[in-house]
Amino acid sequence: MHDRRAILARLPKTDRVLQEPALERSGWRRAVVKRRVQVELQRLREEVLGGRLREVPDAAGVARAVAATLERWARPRPRRVVNATGVVLHTNLGRAPLARRAIDAMVDASGYCDLELDLVSGKRGSRFDELRPLGRAVLEADDVHVVNNNAAALLLACTVLGGEGGVALSLGQMVEIGDGFRVATMAAAGGCRVVGVGSTNRTHPQDFAGALQGTLPECEGRPVRAVLWVHRSNFRQEGFVGEVSLRDLAEQAHAAGVPLVADLGSGSLGTGLSAHEPTIADYLSQGADLVLCSGDKLLGGPQAGIIAGRADLVERCRRHPMARALRPDKTTLAALHATLVAHGQEGVPSLPLHTAVGIGVDTLEARARSVVEALGRAAARVIPTRATIGGGSLPGDTLESRGVAVTVERVERAAAALRERDPPVVGRIEDGRLILDLRTVDPADDPIVVAALRSVLP
Ligand SMILES: *Cc1c(COP(=O)(O)O)cnc(C)c1O
């Protein structure tokens, strides 16, 4: 301990570090630099006390570390990366890459724009005026409202419609979507009671009847005011399972005079993607009164939450004070508008998501060959891979793909080296090999993949 104290005594003082030329000319405000120096000194102190550091840097050394941090801060964040994971909608990598037209629309809207001004009358308008009619047509819904993400859509819909009795949700649909977030918890976050119904593997109409009549013990005499259906978007159940179909559940809810809210999550519109995923229109036609989905899953747009369905219920959501707290900004609305236009036009939507899903294996094979040829090393070869849509959509559904596999001595270290490049290249490790799947790589980035692999191959 005495030893550690002696080492600590050699740590430079904050003011001394601040006098170093590297920090005096950093271009950052002194208060900001000072805080960072304090954080760095504290970190060093803890390292020493923990016995992990026996030699402390001098003032110039601490200043260099702080200057490097400040330089890193000055660069735009989040950074662009090359996604070679083969996961098309990778939540950690920003989910859907936006279409050129969506990016242009965001840039255009980023200055002054007619967000809440009706240019014809010169009067105040609503930020949803332009999007609503387009959304109704493209999503085939009576009305549409937009919030920050699907979690916000769920929170808003359940808070508004749950009232004093809350909502009923099958225990078999109490989905956790990732990072510890659970649908039932998000639904309840605004004070809405969520009554779990049935059992994990089987739920019957009489279970819901108990919640709708308020006879389930959990109801404490108060019947639920809405029924929630959650699409099991990221897992499947097999074996001794059974649930009430969406159609039957909607009928049951309507007979009790309450609406059915369906959390679809993924938001496929049914064009250019695998047909297994239900669409918003499917859910509405099966009797859902409101359908909720993410803008950045199978819709292929920006992070947003869409509430589509019965006009009176959408209107109640729109008018609730919470809607103001959850409203999207101008750039999101611009990107979403452009994304909906792409969906409304003929053919496969011209969105990067649909391009990545639709590329033929022959094209991927040819690109993988070119990468391997350009490398000219025996350690790199073309391999068949399985890409996935990801983003909690279509579990178990994989896409045939092609990748470049490299065999290197220290594979974790090679993967880390690729992530440290500019731009970072993110792949995956499988069977001790580093694999870069080309389905999720923009063909224009293939040379970046080549250069990155060259840097880690012997
Ligand atoms: C992804 C998902 C959500 C959350 O959507 P975000 O847009 O990420 O907030 C909610 N419900 C389901 C079923 C989902 O799949």
Side-chain angles (χ1 to χ4, degrees):
M1 212 50 216
H2 178 76
D3 203 26
R4 290 176 193 179
R5 292 261 156 71
I7 302 171
L8 277 187
R10 291 199 288 277
L11 258 185
K13 298 277 171 282
T14 303
D15 287 341
R16 176 66 195 83
V17 178
L18 284 170
Q19 284 162 10
E20 285 294 318
L23 295 183
E24 287 220 295
R25 295 190 307 265
S26 74
W28 290 78
R29 280 195 293 121
R30 191 179 158 84
V32 177
V33 181
K34 185 170 177 180
R35 283 210 162 235
R36 193 56 211 179
V37 169
Q38 287 165 339
V39 167
E40 180 63 11
L41 289 174
Q42 183 57 27
R43 187 187 69 81
L44 291 168
R45 228 170 265 128
E46 280 162 18
E47 291 287 299
V48 171
L49 288 174
R52 295 179 296 273
L53 194 67
R54 303 201 47 83
E55 198 70 55
V56 293
D58 60 6
V62 177
R64 266 198 304 279
V66 171
T69 302
L70 296 174
E71 230 167 77
R72 201 154 34 74
W73 282 358
R75 293 201 287 265
R77 286 282 162 140
R79 287 172 76 189
R80 142 179 149 84
V81 304
V82 174
N83 174 10
T85 62
V87 181
V88 182
L89 294 172
H90 200 305
T91 297
N92 304 152
L93 301 182
R95 289 203 185 149
L98 294 179
R100 189 70 249 169
R101 72 196 308 162
I103 297 165
D104 290 345
M106 287 180 104
V107 172
D108 234 33
S110 60
Y112 291 126
C113 62
D114 65 343
L115 182 66
E116 293 188 345
L117 180 72
D118 178 354
L119 290 173
V120 176
S121 67
K123 296 219 170 74
R124 184 186 177 135
S126 150
R127 64 181 58 209
F128 303 109
D129 279 349
E130 286 295 321
L131 198 73
R132 269 171 78 193
L134 172 68
R136 287 182 192 137
V138 173
L139 306 176
E140 301 175 56
D142 287 343
D143 201 359
V144 174
H145 184 60
V146 180
V147 287
N148 270 326
N149 50 30
N150 194 15
L154 190 66
L155 170 66
L156 183 59
C158 291
T159 307
V160 170
L161 302 181
E164 59 200 56
V167 300
L169 171 62
S170 163
L171 289 173
Q173 295 184 346
M174 291 211 168
V175 177
E176 179 170 309
I177 56 169
D179 201 20
F181 284 103
R182 292 172 175 167
V183 166
T185 321
M186 297 186 292
C192 171
R193 184 171 74 164
V194 177
V195 176
V197 160
S199 64
T200 307
N201 55 328
R202 291 171 74 83
T203 300
H204 307 282
Q206 58 267 34
D207 297 322
F208 282 102
L212 289 163
Q213 289 154 10
T215 51
L216 278 186
E218 300 91 306
C219 284
E220 294 168 329
R222 286 172 292 150
V224 296
R225 302 292 290 273
V227 173
L228 180 59
W229 169 282
V230 177
H231 177 41
R232 283 195 287 258
S233 51
N234 57 3
F235 75 108
R236 286 195 182 133
Q237 275 192 327
E238 272 178 44
F240 188 54
V241 295
E243 69 181 2
V244 187
S245 72
L246 176 58
R247 200 180 284 280
D248 290 347
L249 191 55
E251 238 172 59
Q252 204 182 344
H254 296 158
V258 308
L260 184 135
V261 178
D263 178 12
L264 172 59
S266 55
S268 161
L269 296 189
T271 36
L273 297 171
S274 145
H276 303 302
E277 195 71 354
T279 66
I280 297 173
D282 288 342
Y283 266 25
L284 290 172
S285 74
Q286 284 164 36
D289 298 285
L290 287 185
V291 178
L292 319 175
C293 75
S294 286
D296 55 2
K297 289 188 184 170
L298 294 182
L299 207 63
Q303 177 188 304
I306 290 171
I307 301 177
R310 237 173 76 187
D312 60 322
L313 302 181
V314 173
E315 183 65 13
R316 279 175 63 195
C317 291
R318 189 176 8 251
R319 298 225 162 274
H320 192 276
M322 198 182 262
R324 167 71 188 234
L326 305 175
R327 72 181 187 178
D329 80 312
K330 57 188 179 180
T331 58
T332 299
L333 288 172
L336 186 59
H337 189 106
T339 304
L340 288 179
V341 169
H343 279 285
Q345 293 181 337
E346 275 183 54
V348 173
S350 53
L351 297 168
L353 163 66
H354 296 73
T355 308
V357 171
I359 315 170
V361 177
D362 293 347
T363 309
L364 295 172
E365 168 95 23
R367 282 172 54 200
R369 274 182 202 285
S370 312
V371 169
V372 167
E373 271 162 32
L375 288 168
R377 311 277 222 295
R381 51 206 297 212
V382 179
I383 58 156
T385 55
R386 308 293 312 183
T388 57
I389 304 234
S393 323
L394 301 159
D397 248 34
T398 57
L399 303 163
E400 189 184 350
S401 186
R402 290 293 181 273
V404 176
V406 298
T407 312
V408 282
E409 200 124 300
R410 305 180 58 178
V411 70
E412 304 275 353
R413 197 193 238 197
L418 292 194
R419 292 196 305 272
E420 275 163 26
R421 290 182 60 85
D422 189 17
V425 175
V426 186
R428 63 171 193 263
I429 295 171
E430 235 174 65
D431 302 326
R433 289 182 304 180
L434 177 60
I435 292 168
L436 301 186
D437 194 312
L438 292 185
R439 183 171 286 282
T440 46
V441 176
D442 184 333
D445 290 341
D446 285 358
I448 296 176
V449 169
V450 172
L453 286 178
R454 200 169 270 150
S455 74
V456 295
L457 282 173

